[in-house]
Amino acid sequence: MKAEKKRLMTFVFYLISTAVLVAFDQWTKALAVNALKGQKDIELIPGVLSFHYLENTGAAFGIFQDQKIFLLVLTTIIILCVCYVLWRIPSDRKYIFLKILCFMVTAGGLGNLIDRVRLNYVVDFIYFSLIDFPVFNVADIYIVLSTIGLFILFLFVFKEKDLEFLSFKQNRY
């Protein structure tokens, strides 16, 4: 019973943390709309970095343009899967970074999902002109950083036995 209570408290902590990250993402998008929509770009570092308002009806790198229902369903499935993983992660200290990365990817997905539901597009506003990188937002940063972190964890840190908690098989001891 004590372990379940600790797991629940940890899960609540991560839900609150996710809410804070989503709120920050939504706040930055509101600032972008107020300062940039219908305005000229704001160059932070000329020729390198600027704020550029964009209404993105697709996903990363402009794929799936105008596929709102597909993106809503896909994002919801991914968020539910990540929440399932978060619930199953043991409370051992070695999994703390895995938990952080899971709530970051959830926050990013939720931040963009809110835009799609509320606006029918995602507000993007950060542009690296030096490499002509697609315009992105804070939620995208959460998703990209957490995906890279998860890749590193699964490739270099965790072994197969460390991830047995994800198995659907019942433990038979």
Side-chain angles (χ1 to χ4, degrees):
M1 188 67 159
K2 186 179 178 183
E4 276 300 307
K5 185 175 180 180
K6 183 177 181 181
R7 177 176 285 182
L8 180 61
M9 294 305 292
T10 301
F11 195 74
V12 168
F13 170 76
Y14 285 111
L15 286 177
I16 292 168
S17 299
T18 299
V20 168
L21 289 179
V22 170
F24 180 71
D25 168 66
Q26 291 297 300
W27 179 68
T28 61
K29 289 174 180 174
L31 289 176
V33 169
N34 289 333
L36 299 170
K37 188 172 184 175
Q39 304 297 320
K40 290 181 66 176
D41 291 0
I42 298 172
E43 286 200 65
L44 299 175
I45 304 171
V48 177
L49 178 65
S50 62
F51 288 143
H52 170 83
Y53 183 80
L54 178 72
E55 295 175 356
N56 183 359
T57 60
F61 305 106
I63 61 172
F64 303 120
Q65 287 295 318
D66 300 315
Q67 300 294 315
K68 179 183 174 182
I69 300 298
F70 171 75
L71 292 170
L72 291 174
V73 170
L74 180 64
T75 303
T76 302
I77 290 169
I78 291 170
I79 289 170
L80 290 173
C81 289
V82 172
C83 286
Y84 170 78
V85 169
L86 258 172
W87 183 255
R88 298 279 313 245
I89 296 173
S91 51
D92 301 4
R93 286 175 101 49
K94 70 180 175 180
Y95 295 107
I96 189 116
F97 289 115
L98 179 59
K99 290 177 183 180
I100 291 168
L101 295 172
C102 283
F103 88 76
M104 282 179 59
V105 77
T106 301
L110 282 173
N112 286 339
L113 182 71
I114 289 168
D115 280 11
R116 283 194 184 94
V117 168
R118 192 170 59 87
L119 306 169
N120 291 322
Y121 56 85
V122 174
V123 174
D124 288 333
F125 59 93
I126 304 168
Y127 177 55
F128 277 111
S129 56
L130 180 67
I131 57 173
D132 195 27
F133 195 79
V135 182
F136 58 97
N137 60 47
V138 172
D140 296 335
I141 294 170
Y142 299 157
I143 294 167
V144 169
L145 291 179
S146 58
T147 302
I148 292 168
L150 288 167
F151 180 76
I152 291 168
L153 281 180
F154 291 134
L155 196 60
F156 299 111
V157 178
F158 292 130
K159 307 297 180 233
E160 188 174 342
K161 68 177 176 59
D162 294 324
L163 301 173
E164 288 176 349
F165 67 89
L166 293 174
S167 173
F168 288 106
K169 297 178 185 177
Q170 293 282 349
N171 290 337
R172 297 182 185 188
Y173 294 122

